[in-house]
Amino acid sequence: MENQRKTVSYYPKVLVSKDELTALQTRRMKHTLLRAYSFVPYYKTKWDNHGVHPDDFTFLEDIKKFPFTSKEDLRLNYPFGMFANPMSDIVRLHASSGTTGKPTVVGYTRKDIDTWSDLVARSLRLGGAQKGDIVHISYGYGLFTGGLGAHYGAEKLGCTVVPASGGFTDKQVTLINDFKANIIMVTPSYMLNIIEEMENRGIDPKDTALKIGIFGAEPWSMQMKKKIEDKVGIAALDIYGLSEMMGPGVACEVLEDRGDLYIWEDHFYPEIVNKNTFEPIDDGNEGELILTTLTKEALPIIRYRTKDLSTLYDGDLLNMRKMKRIKARTDDMMIIRGVNIFPSQIEEILLKIKAFSPHYQIIISRTGNMDDMSIDIEAELNISQEEINLAIKKLIHKIKSGIGVSIKVNLKANGQVPRSQGKAQRVVDNREI
Ligand code: DLL
């Protein structure tokens, strides 16, 4: 415990007592509600119609009186309608394209960028990085928040940043090797690509200088984490965030207290609600994560429905709460012949079988009235045909007995399953709508 305290003392702000934290959150929440009501017409109209006012907020529980905000609200107010500052105060815009409709646009004041950088620096420091480390960033730069968010945080910590962005995997490998980066920040699925490129070039990833990877932006199973750790010989830590709140750095896995992520509760207030009824759920139970910004200037967001499934609970190291690794997004759920399935459940089973490579894709199709699921997979190198046949049988059996659905397995030649360039597309749905 003494040791752990030594590490977090680099960030005294995370060592606040529970009472101090509650007082800080209450003060910040009140301020955020007042600003949203005064400067964002959308909130004023919505809350007036709902019969609530910032004056109705005294204690943190009072936040439950306020209605939720969703991605749709941001889209309806496209592009800048939800900003609480005049455009002359906005120094940065990011946007996420999503799969349908208009992109959601987010804006930052100078102070917002500073807060964001601080929180990514905090996430990195508590993840084991420090001044002097060389941080290779393969999150995409551009409208996506991953690249620039990670970049500003790593610089703030005093690290040497390699702004590689996504793509050009062969060049990435050369840079990681030659510059001797010891930290990498990238989506887990693109990390698999980098590992594969190293292996193809006869470089053992374990021989690089990498010691820590800070992975996020998409769900990844514990088996994927283990696979990356085993192949590269690093600590693979989880970082969570979303553009509507800020970007990466809303929550992060801490090296001294591995497993799950601490939420930076001094800047974001988390709640969990039932994913169907939206009723609040007590800590310790799974549901949809709801977040409220406590310090954002340009884009205060009240009770945002993240659609991410998680559970909140008290951690051992800090007084801020932990959230379980995101299991899935609520809208990622597939219903196949009446069985509810999340892609992460398939990944967990698939990657436990050593014969398979971690590159896979789930294909959903419809024959008549029946939905079918198949999985495109590749074998690891140097696996005999006999072992592969056994592994396929095992996979079909484990998914049938564990999840309750029959699947087909398509064994693809090496390199045939599409590789991720950022966030992986794990499911291809070929059903007609
Ligand atoms: O993905 C921000 C980010 C960049 C986080 C780099 C971490 C690292 P968006 O593009 O707005 O922002 O997507 C946000 O991605 O609601 C989750 O569904 C998913 N997501 C983000 N981090 C994780 C994670 C960035 N660690 C959406 N585990 C979120 C699982 C994650 N899902």
Side-chain angles (χ1 to χ4, degrees), residues 71 95-97 104 116 139 144-147 150 185-188 214-220 237-251 261 304 306-309 323 325-329 331-332 423:
K71 210 181 215 5
S96 66
S97 54
T104 43
W116 185 13
Y139 287 123
F144 176 52
T145 52
M185 299 182 76
V186 58
T187 59
I214 314 248
F215 303 114
E218 60 185 4
W220 53 310
L237 305 181
D238 198 351
I239 189 164
Y240 171 79
L242 58 165
S243 43
E244 292 83 356
M245 286 294 114
M246 172 176 93
V250 170
L261 304 87
Y304 188 69
T306 66
K307 297 199 168 185
D308 292 323
L309 289 176
M323 58 182 249
R325 295 162 57 75
I326 301 290
K327 179 172 159 196
R329 290 182 59 77
D331 42 15
D332 280 347
K423 294 190 190 227

Tab-separated table of all heavy atoms in Angstrom, residues 71 95-97 104 116 139 144-147 150 185-188 214-220 237-251 261 304 306-309 323 325-329 331-332 423, ligand 1:
chain	number	residue	atom	x	y	z
A	71	LYS	N	-26.930	11.108	-28.168
A	71	LYS	CA	-26.237	11.473	-29.417
A	71	LYS	C	-27.199	12.195	-30.365
A	71	LYS	O	-26.832	13.128	-31.058
A	71	LYS	CB	-25.719	10.191	-30.080
A	71	LYS	CG	-24.463	10.394	-30.896
A	71	LYS	CD	-24.061	9.079	-31.518
A	71	LYS	CE	-22.617	8.783	-31.667
A	71	LYS	NZ	-21.553	9.528	-31.219
A	95	ALA	N	-15.000	15.620	-34.374
A	95	ALA	CA	-16.309	15.091	-34.781
A	95	ALA	C	-16.218	13.589	-34.940
A	95	ALA	O	-15.156	13.051	-35.260
A	95	ALA	CB	-16.737	15.725	-36.106
A	96	SER	N	-17.322	12.914	-34.662
A	96	SER	CA	-17.326	11.471	-34.936
A	96	SER	C	-18.406	11.198	-35.961
A	96	SER	O	-19.495	11.766	-35.893
A	96	SER	CB	-17.525	10.665	-33.658
A	96	SER	OG	-18.804	10.907	-33.166
A	97	SER	N	-18.074	10.341	-36.924
A	97	SER	CA	-18.965	10.169	-38.062
A	97	SER	C	-20.140	9.263	-37.734
A	97	SER	O	-21.235	9.476	-38.213
A	97	SER	CB	-18.183	9.631	-39.244
A	97	SER	OG	-17.522	8.469	-38.853
A	104	THR	N	-21.476	13.896	-35.070
A	104	THR	CA	-21.638	14.686	-33.843
A	104	THR	C	-20.375	15.510	-33.675
A	104	THR	O	-19.260	14.998	-33.763
A	104	THR	CB	-21.844	13.793	-32.614
A	104	THR	OG1	-20.943	12.713	-32.697
A	104	THR	CG2	-23.238	13.249	-32.538
A	116	TRP	N	-8.257	18.476	-20.551
A	116	TRP	CA	-8.155	17.191	-21.278
A	116	TRP	C	-6.699	16.692	-21.235
A	116	TRP	O	-6.431	15.526	-20.899
A	116	TRP	CB	-8.645	17.408	-22.704
A	116	TRP	CG	-8.732	16.183	-23.568
A	116	TRP	CD1	-8.659	14.871	-23.187
A	116	TRP	CD2	-8.938	16.174	-24.995
A	116	TRP	NE1	-8.794	14.052	-24.277
A	116	TRP	CE2	-8.970	14.813	-25.389
A	116	TRP	CE3	-9.096	17.161	-25.957
A	116	TRP	CZ2	-9.141	14.442	-26.727
A	116	TRP	CZ3	-9.278	16.784	-27.282
A	116	TRP	CH2	-9.309	15.446	-27.659
A	139	TYR	N	-3.018	6.077	-32.543
A	139	TYR	CA	-4.429	6.447	-32.693
A	139	TYR	C	-4.485	7.444	-33.835
A	139	TYR	O	-3.567	8.265	-33.990
A	139	TYR	CB	-4.950	7.142	-31.428
A	139	TYR	CG	-5.159	6.237	-30.247
A	139	TYR	CD1	-4.522	6.483	-29.036
A	139	TYR	CD2	-6.023	5.142	-30.318
A	139	TYR	CE1	-4.720	5.670	-27.934
A	139	TYR	CE2	-6.229	4.319	-29.227
A	139	TYR	CZ	-5.575	4.591	-28.036
A	139	TYR	OH	-5.781	3.775	-26.963
A	144	PHE	N	-11.131	12.414	-35.287
A	144	PHE	CA	-11.163	11.455	-34.174
A	144	PHE	C	-10.341	12.027	-33.015
A	144	PHE	O	-9.272	12.608	-33.227
A	144	PHE	CB	-10.566	10.121	-34.662
A	144	PHE	CG	-10.437	9.061	-33.604
A	144	PHE	CD1	-11.513	8.708	-32.802
A	144	PHE	CD2	-9.229	8.390	-33.426
A	144	PHE	CE1	-11.395	7.723	-31.834
A	144	PHE	CE2	-9.095	7.383	-32.462
A	144	PHE	CZ	-10.186	7.057	-31.670
A	145	THR	N	-10.842	11.859	-31.785
A	145	THR	CA	-10.161	12.466	-30.623
A	145	THR	C	-8.928	11.688	-30.157
A	145	THR	O	-8.154	12.209	-29.348
A	145	THR	CB	-11.134	12.533	-29.421
A	145	THR	OG1	-11.681	11.228	-29.222
A	145	THR	CG2	-12.251	13.537	-29.652
A	146	GLY	N	-8.764	10.448	-30.654
A	146	GLY	CA	-7.704	9.579	-30.121
A	146	GLY	C	-6.301	10.153	-30.254
A	146	GLY	O	-5.570	10.280	-29.265
A	147	GLY	N	-5.916	10.518	-31.494
A	147	GLY	CA	-4.536	10.954	-31.746
A	147	GLY	C	-4.178	12.217	-30.996
A	147	GLY	O	-3.258	12.227	-30.155
A	150	ALA	N	-4.387	11.944	-27.058
A	150	ALA	CA	-3.234	11.241	-26.484
A	150	ALA	C	-1.986	12.122	-26.585
A	150	ALA	O	-1.187	12.217	-25.647
A	150	ALA	CB	-3.017	9.922	-27.228
A	185	MET	N	0.417	3.862	-27.720
A	185	MET	CA	-1.004	4.159	-27.514
A	185	MET	C	-1.709	3.910	-28.847
A	185	MET	O	-1.396	4.558	-29.853
A	185	MET	CB	-1.188	5.617	-27.078
A	185	MET	CG	-0.487	5.917	-25.779
A	185	MET	SD	-0.731	7.632	-25.222
A	185	MET	CE	-2.400	7.578	-24.585
A	186	VAL	N	-2.641	2.972	-28.841
A	186	VAL	CA	-3.232	2.505	-30.097
A	186	VAL	C	-4.480	1.673	-29.778
A	186	VAL	O	-4.630	1.208	-28.639
A	186	VAL	CB	-2.163	1.671	-30.875
A	186	VAL	CG1	-1.661	0.490	-30.061
A	186	VAL	CG2	-2.670	1.179	-32.212
A	187	THR	N	-5.356	1.497	-30.756
A	187	THR	CA	-6.490	0.593	-30.514
A	187	THR	C	-5.936	-0.829	-30.417
A	187	THR	O	-4.967	-1.173	-31.110
A	187	THR	CB	-7.532	0.636	-31.659
A	187	THR	OG1	-6.885	0.272	-32.883
A	187	THR	CG2	-8.154	2.008	-31.811
A	188	PRO	N	-6.547	-1.671	-29.575
A	188	PRO	CA	-6.037	-3.050	-29.457
A	188	PRO	C	-6.029	-3.774	-30.795
A	188	PRO	O	-5.105	-4.540	-31.082
A	188	PRO	CB	-6.997	-3.718	-28.467
A	188	PRO	CG	-8.002	-2.695	-28.081
A	188	PRO	CD	-7.642	-1.368	-28.659
A	214	ILE	N	-1.167	1.457	-23.973
A	214	ILE	CA	-2.388	2.074	-23.427
A	214	ILE	C	-3.437	1.997	-24.527
A	214	ILE	O	-3.404	2.761	-25.489
A	214	ILE	CB	-2.133	3.535	-22.995
A	214	ILE	CG1	-0.835	3.631	-22.190
A	214	ILE	CG2	-3.351	4.112	-22.284
A	214	ILE	CD1	-0.920	3.970	-20.749
A	215	PHE	N	-4.332	1.011	-24.371
A	215	PHE	CA	-5.235	0.633	-25.458
A	215	PHE	C	-6.686	0.997	-25.150
A	215	PHE	O	-7.138	0.803	-24.026
A	215	PHE	CB	-5.166	-0.884	-25.668
A	215	PHE	CG	-3.778	-1.394	-25.953
A	215	PHE	CD1	-3.128	-2.223	-25.050
A	215	PHE	CD2	-3.119	-1.029	-27.116
A	215	PHE	CE1	-1.841	-2.703	-25.319
A	215	PHE	CE2	-1.846	-1.506	-27.398
A	215	PHE	CZ	-1.195	-2.341	-26.492
A	216	GLY	N	-7.397	1.477	-26.166
A	216	GLY	CA	-8.812	1.787	-25.949
A	216	GLY	C	-9.480	2.144	-27.252
A	216	GLY	O	-8.974	1.856	-28.331
A	217	ALA	N	-10.635	2.781	-27.130
A	217	ALA	CA	-11.465	3.251	-28.243
A	217	ALA	C	-12.394	2.169	-28.795
A	217	ALA	O	-13.217	2.433	-29.653
A	217	ALA	CB	-10.652	3.881	-29.381
A	218	GLU	N	-12.259	0.926	-28.303
A	218	GLU	CA	-13.142	-0.165	-28.754
A	218	GLU	C	-13.134	-1.251	-27.686
A	218	GLU	O	-12.156	-1.369	-26.926
A	218	GLU	CB	-12.627	-0.739	-30.093
A	218	GLU	CG	-11.215	-1.299	-29.996
A	218	GLU	CD	-10.652	-1.770	-31.335
A	218	GLU	OE1	-11.318	-1.600	-32.356
A	218	GLU	OE2	-9.530	-2.317	-31.334
A	219	PRO	N	-14.209	-2.038	-27.622
A	219	PRO	CA	-14.228	-3.127	-26.643
A	219	PRO	C	-13.155	-4.163	-26.975
A	219	PRO	O	-12.908	-4.436	-28.149
A	219	PRO	CB	-15.622	-3.743	-26.810
A	219	PRO	CG	-16.435	-2.735	-27.541
A	219	PRO	CD	-15.459	-1.953	-28.387
A	220	TRP	N	-12.506	-4.685	-25.961
A	220	TRP	CA	-11.525	-5.764	-26.168
A	220	TRP	C	-11.590	-6.678	-24.955
A	220	TRP	O	-11.641	-6.233	-23.823
A	220	TRP	CB	-10.127	-5.216	-26.443
A	220	TRP	CG	-9.559	-4.227	-25.441
A	220	TRP	CD1	-10.171	-3.103	-24.958
A	220	TRP	CD2	-8.264	-4.263	-24.828
A	220	TRP	NE1	-9.344	-2.429	-24.096
A	220	TRP	CE2	-8.173	-3.116	-24.002
A	220	TRP	CE3	-7.177	-5.133	-24.912
A	220	TRP	CZ2	-7.023	-2.831	-23.244
A	220	TRP	CZ3	-6.044	-4.850	-24.152
A	220	TRP	CH2	-5.985	-3.709	-23.335
A	237	LEU	N	-2.740	-1.846	-20.816
A	237	LEU	CA	-3.697	-1.147	-19.959
A	237	LEU	C	-4.845	-0.582	-20.789
A	237	LEU	O	-4.680	-0.266	-21.964
A	237	LEU	CB	-3.008	0.002	-19.214
A	237	LEU	CG	-1.776	-0.362	-18.400
A	237	LEU	CD1	-1.219	0.878	-17.712
A	237	LEU	CD2	-2.119	-1.407	-17.347
A	238	ASP	N	-5.973	-0.421	-20.113
A	238	ASP	CA	-7.201	-0.013	-20.796
A	238	ASP	C	-7.465	1.468	-20.547
A	238	ASP	O	-7.424	1.917	-19.394
A	238	ASP	CB	-8.349	-0.849	-20.213
A	238	ASP	CG	-9.579	-0.864	-21.081
A	238	ASP	OD1	-9.629	-0.100	-22.050
A	238	ASP	OD2	-10.497	-1.655	-20.774
A	239	ILE	N	-7.722	2.226	-21.589
A	239	ILE	CA	-8.111	3.637	-21.427
A	239	ILE	C	-9.463	3.825	-22.103
A	239	ILE	O	-9.711	3.292	-23.178
A	239	ILE	CB	-7.040	4.600	-21.996
A	239	ILE	CG1	-7.362	6.057	-21.615
A	239	ILE	CG2	-6.880	4.480	-23.514
A	239	ILE	CD1	-6.188	7.009	-21.799
A	240	TYR	N	-10.345	4.561	-21.411
A	240	TYR	CA	-11.711	4.747	-21.925
A	240	TYR	C	-12.016	6.225	-22.123
A	240	TYR	O	-11.489	7.074	-21.397
A	240	TYR	CB	-12.709	4.149	-20.923
A	240	TYR	CG	-14.159	4.462	-21.212
A	240	TYR	CD1	-14.866	3.768	-22.190
A	240	TYR	CD2	-14.827	5.459	-20.496
A	240	TYR	CE1	-16.200	4.059	-22.456
A	240	TYR	CE2	-16.169	5.756	-20.753
A	240	TYR	CZ	-16.850	5.045	-21.734
A	240	TYR	OH	-18.162	5.336	-21.996
A	241	GLY	N	-12.833	6.505	-23.080
A	241	GLY	CA	-13.296	7.876	-23.259
A	241	GLY	C	-14.216	7.948	-24.445
A	241	GLY	O	-14.361	6.989	-25.199
A	242	LEU	N	-14.857	9.074	-24.605
A	242	LEU	CA	-15.738	9.298	-25.741
A	242	LEU	C	-15.723	10.775	-26.078
A	242	LEU	O	-15.536	11.613	-25.200
A	242	LEU	CB	-17.158	8.790	-25.466
A	242	LEU	CG	-17.930	9.334	-24.274
A	242	LEU	CD1	-19.399	8.964	-24.436
A	242	LEU	CD2	-17.423	8.739	-22.979
A	243	SER	N	-15.893	11.057	-27.356
A	243	SER	CA	-15.731	12.448	-27.788
A	243	SER	C	-16.742	13.372	-27.114
A	243	SER	O	-16.424	14.509	-26.796
A	243	SER	CB	-15.811	12.550	-29.308
A	243	SER	OG	-16.854	11.762	-29.797
A	244	GLU	N	-17.956	12.871	-26.865
A	244	GLU	CA	-18.972	13.743	-26.272
A	244	GLU	C	-18.563	14.228	-24.884
A	244	GLU	O	-18.996	15.285	-24.432
A	244	GLU	CB	-20.320	13.009	-26.166
A	244	GLU	CG	-20.962	12.717	-27.514
A	244	GLU	CD	-20.415	11.446	-28.173
A	244	GLU	OE1	-19.481	10.825	-27.607
A	244	GLU	OE2	-20.907	11.084	-29.253
A	245	MET	N	-17.750	13.450	-24.180
A	245	MET	CA	-17.269	13.883	-22.857
A	245	MET	C	-15.989	14.688	-22.992
A	245	MET	O	-15.696	15.565	-22.202
A	245	MET	CB	-16.964	12.670	-21.964
A	245	MET	CG	-18.164	11.960	-21.425
A	245	MET	SD	-19.089	12.991	-20.289
A	245	MET	CE	-20.610	13.217	-21.214
A	246	MET	N	-15.161	14.343	-24.035
A	246	MET	CA	-13.830	14.944	-24.151
A	246	MET	C	-13.025	14.179	-25.195
A	246	MET	O	-12.554	14.744	-26.175
A	246	MET	CB	-13.162	14.824	-22.761
A	246	MET	CG	-11.717	15.191	-22.660
A	246	MET	SD	-11.194	15.091	-20.944
A	246	MET	CE	-10.573	13.405	-20.864
A	247	GLY	N	-12.883	12.863	-24.988
A	247	GLY	CA	-12.040	12.006	-25.821
A	247	GLY	C	-11.400	10.997	-24.886
A	247	GLY	O	-11.956	10.712	-23.811
A	248	PRO	N	-10.225	10.439	-25.238
A	248	PRO	CA	-9.592	9.477	-24.334
A	248	PRO	C	-9.256	10.137	-22.990
A	248	PRO	O	-9.006	11.334	-22.946
A	248	PRO	CB	-8.302	9.097	-25.071
A	248	PRO	CG	-8.057	10.201	-26.045
A	248	PRO	CD	-9.415	10.722	-26.422
A	249	GLY	N	-9.277	9.328	-21.903
A	249	GLY	CA	-8.851	9.855	-20.601
A	249	GLY	C	-9.984	10.148	-19.643
A	249	GLY	O	-9.789	10.791	-18.622
A	250	VAL	N	-11.186	9.639	-19.926
A	250	VAL	CA	-12.294	9.769	-18.968
A	250	VAL	C	-12.060	8.776	-17.818
A	250	VAL	O	-12.345	9.050	-16.660
A	250	VAL	CB	-13.647	9.496	-19.674
A	250	VAL	CG1	-14.783	9.390	-18.683
A	250	VAL	CG2	-13.918	10.567	-20.721
A	251	ALA	N	-11.506	7.624	-18.160
A	251	ALA	CA	-11.211	6.583	-17.178
A	251	ALA	C	-9.987	5.813	-17.670
A	251	ALA	O	-9.746	5.768	-18.877
A	251	ALA	CB	-12.391	5.630	-17.043
A	261	LEU	N	-11.055	0.040	-14.570
A	261	LEU	CA	-10.533	1.403	-14.791
A	261	LEU	C	-11.062	2.366	-13.725
A	261	LEU	O	-12.236	2.280	-13.340
A	261	LEU	CB	-10.993	1.933	-16.166
A	261	LEU	CG	-10.657	1.119	-17.400
A	261	LEU	CD1	-11.713	0.052	-17.673
A	261	LEU	CD2	-10.555	2.014	-18.626
A	304	TYR	N	-25.369	12.060	-20.036
A	304	TYR	CA	-25.216	11.533	-21.392
A	304	TYR	C	-25.366	10.021	-21.422
A	304	TYR	O	-24.693	9.293	-20.668
A	304	TYR	CB	-23.845	11.925	-21.964
A	304	TYR	CG	-23.720	11.560	-23.423
A	304	TYR	CD1	-24.468	12.233	-24.375
A	304	TYR	CD2	-22.891	10.525	-23.833
A	304	TYR	CE1	-24.387	11.886	-25.728
A	304	TYR	CE2	-22.800	10.173	-25.175
A	304	TYR	CZ	-23.557	10.859	-26.108
A	304	TYR	OH	-23.483	10.518	-27.428
A	306	THR	N	-24.271	6.931	-22.734
A	306	THR	CA	-23.112	6.463	-23.504
A	306	THR	C	-23.432	5.225	-24.329
A	306	THR	O	-22.719	4.914	-25.277
A	306	THR	CB	-21.934	6.091	-22.586
A	306	THR	OG1	-22.322	4.951	-21.797
A	306	THR	CG2	-21.530	7.236	-21.680
A	307	LYS	N	-24.466	4.453	-23.914
A	307	LYS	CA	-24.797	3.151	-24.516
A	307	LYS	C	-23.719	2.108	-24.240
A	307	LYS	O	-23.717	1.046	-24.847
A	307	LYS	CB	-25.038	3.275	-26.025
A	307	LYS	CG	-26.223	4.155	-26.345
A	307	LYS	CD	-26.703	3.896	-27.739
A	307	LYS	CE	-28.050	4.554	-27.956
A	307	LYS	NZ	-28.596	4.228	-29.262
A	308	ASP	N	-22.775	2.436	-23.351
A	308	ASP	CA	-21.738	1.463	-22.978
A	308	ASP	C	-22.180	0.713	-21.730
A	308	ASP	O	-22.689	1.316	-20.784
A	308	ASP	CB	-20.410	2.180	-22.708
A	308	ASP	CG	-19.818	2.772	-23.975
A	308	ASP	OD1	-19.946	2.129	-25.042
A	308	ASP	OD2	-19.235	3.866	-23.907
A	309	LEU	N	-21.959	-0.605	-21.722
A	309	LEU	CA	-22.373	-1.418	-20.582
A	309	LEU	C	-21.222	-1.595	-19.600
A	309	LEU	O	-20.142	-2.057	-19.981
A	309	LEU	CB	-22.827	-2.799	-21.060
A	309	LEU	CG	-24.154	-2.835	-21.807
A	309	LEU	CD1	-24.429	-4.249	-22.310
A	309	LEU	CD2	-25.288	-2.354	-20.916
A	323	MET	N	-14.798	1.567	-12.865
A	323	MET	CA	-15.824	0.980	-13.727
A	323	MET	C	-15.250	-0.304	-14.333
A	323	MET	O	-14.057	-0.374	-14.642
A	323	MET	CB	-16.239	1.950	-14.834
A	323	MET	CG	-15.130	2.415	-15.734
A	323	MET	SD	-15.731	3.606	-16.959
A	323	MET	CE	-15.575	2.628	-18.437
A	325	ARG	N	-14.376	-3.003	-17.108
A	325	ARG	CA	-14.075	-2.870	-18.537
A	325	ARG	C	-15.387	-2.927	-19.314
A	325	ARG	O	-16.251	-3.739	-18.999
A	325	ARG	CB	-13.183	-4.029	-18.981
A	325	ARG	CG	-11.819	-4.036	-18.356
A	325	ARG	CD	-11.172	-5.405	-18.485
A	325	ARG	NE	-11.068	-5.856	-19.871
A	325	ARG	CZ	-10.196	-5.400	-20.759
A	325	ARG	NH1	-9.322	-4.506	-20.393
A	325	ARG	NH2	-10.159	-5.858	-21.994
A	326	ILE	N	-15.499	-2.082	-20.338
A	326	ILE	CA	-16.752	-2.040	-21.102
A	326	ILE	C	-16.987	-3.403	-21.743
A	326	ILE	O	-16.140	-3.900	-22.483
A	326	ILE	CB	-16.675	-0.967	-22.220
A	326	ILE	CG1	-16.399	0.425	-21.637
A	326	ILE	CG2	-17.946	-0.992	-23.074
A	326	ILE	CD1	-17.522	1.015	-20.854
A	327	LYS	N	-18.149	-3.979	-21.446
A	327	LYS	CA	-18.456	-5.302	-22.002
A	327	LYS	C	-18.847	-5.156	-23.474
A	327	LYS	O	-18.434	-5.945	-24.323
A	327	LYS	CB	-19.616	-5.895	-21.208
A	327	LYS	CG	-20.079	-7.222	-21.654
A	327	LYS	CD	-21.080	-7.735	-20.658
A	327	LYS	CE	-21.960	-8.784	-21.258
A	327	LYS	NZ	-23.150	-9.009	-20.445
A	328	ALA	N	-19.645	-4.135	-23.754
A	328	ALA	CA	-20.116	-3.912	-25.127
A	328	ALA	C	-20.908	-2.632	-25.156
A	328	ALA	O	-21.177	-2.042	-24.116
A	328	ALA	CB	-21.033	-5.055	-25.555
A	329	ARG	N	-21.266	-2.206	-26.354
A	329	ARG	CA	-22.256	-1.142	-26.478
A	329	ARG	C	-23.622	-1.816	-26.565
A	329	ARG	O	-23.740	-2.902	-27.142
A	329	ARG	CB	-21.998	-0.328	-27.748
A	329	ARG	CG	-20.747	0.509	-27.685
A	329	ARG	CD	-20.575	1.313	-28.953
A	329	ARG	NE	-21.698	2.201	-29.201
A	329	ARG	CZ	-21.892	3.363	-28.551
A	329	ARG	NH1	-21.030	3.757	-27.640
A	329	ARG	NH2	-22.927	4.116	-28.824
A	331	ASP	N	-26.005	-1.183	-28.396
A	331	ASP	CA	-26.453	-1.418	-29.772
A	331	ASP	C	-25.576	-2.412	-30.541
A	331	ASP	O	-25.807	-2.665	-31.708
A	331	ASP	CB	-26.643	-0.106	-30.554
A	331	ASP	CG	-25.553	0.898	-30.301
A	331	ASP	OD1	-24.504	0.476	-29.759
A	331	ASP	OD2	-25.717	2.081	-30.641
A	332	ASP	N	-24.577	-2.991	-29.877
A	332	ASP	CA	-23.786	-4.056	-30.515
A	332	ASP	C	-24.418	-5.423	-30.313
A	332	ASP	O	-23.924	-6.429	-30.816
A	332	ASP	CB	-22.376	-4.137	-29.889
A	332	ASP	CG	-21.469	-3.065	-30.446
A	332	ASP	OD1	-21.836	-2.449	-31.450
A	332	ASP	OD2	-20.390	-2.849	-29.851
A	423	LYS	N	-10.471	1.528	-35.324
A	423	LYS	CA	-11.479	0.745	-34.624
A	423	LYS	C	-11.861	-0.420	-35.529
A	423	LYS	O	-12.188	-0.215	-36.703
A	423	LYS	CB	-12.721	1.599	-34.339
A	423	LYS	CG	-12.475	2.756	-33.359
A	423	LYS	CD	-13.799	3.400	-32.950
A	423	LYS	CE	-13.552	4.692	-32.194
A	423	LYS	NZ	-14.338	4.818	-30.975
B	1	DLL	O1	-12.977	6.339	-28.976
B	1	DLL	C1	-12.085	8.103	-27.589
B	1	DLL	C2	-10.894	7.268	-27.280
B	1	DLL	C3	-9.764	7.359	-28.070
B	1	DLL	C4	-10.881	6.447	-26.157
B	1	DLL	C5	-8.631	6.620	-27.769
B	1	DLL	C6	-9.758	5.699	-25.844
B	1	DLL	C7	-8.649	5.781	-26.654
B	1	DLL	P1	-15.346	7.995	-29.752
B	1	DLL	O2	-14.843	7.807	-31.115
B	1	DLL	O3	-16.343	9.069	-29.479
B	1	DLL	O4	-14.181	8.276	-28.751
B	1	DLL	O5	-15.954	6.602	-29.307
B	1	DLL	C8	-16.431	6.411	-28.013
B	1	DLL	O6	-15.792	4.073	-28.062
B	1	DLL	O7	-18.635	5.136	-26.160
B	1	DLL	C9	-17.149	3.186	-26.364
B	1	DLL	O8	-18.236	2.538	-26.989
B	1	DLL	C10	-15.880	2.963	-27.182
B	1	DLL	N1	-14.714	2.922	-26.299
B	1	DLL	C11	-13.834	3.895	-26.027
B	1	DLL	N2	-12.862	3.443	-25.187
B	1	DLL	C12	-13.163	2.152	-24.906
B	1	DLL	C13	-12.576	1.140	-24.092
B	1	DLL	C14	-13.102	7.477	-28.516
B	1	DLL	N3	-11.463	1.325	-23.417
B	1	DLL	C15	-16.886	4.982	-27.820
B	1	DLL	N4	-13.201	-0.065	-24.042
B	1	DLL	C16	-17.315	4.700	-26.422
B	1	DLL	C17	-14.328	-0.292	-24.743
B	1	DLL	C18	-14.355	1.823	-25.606
B	1	DLL	N5	-14.922	0.608	-25.518
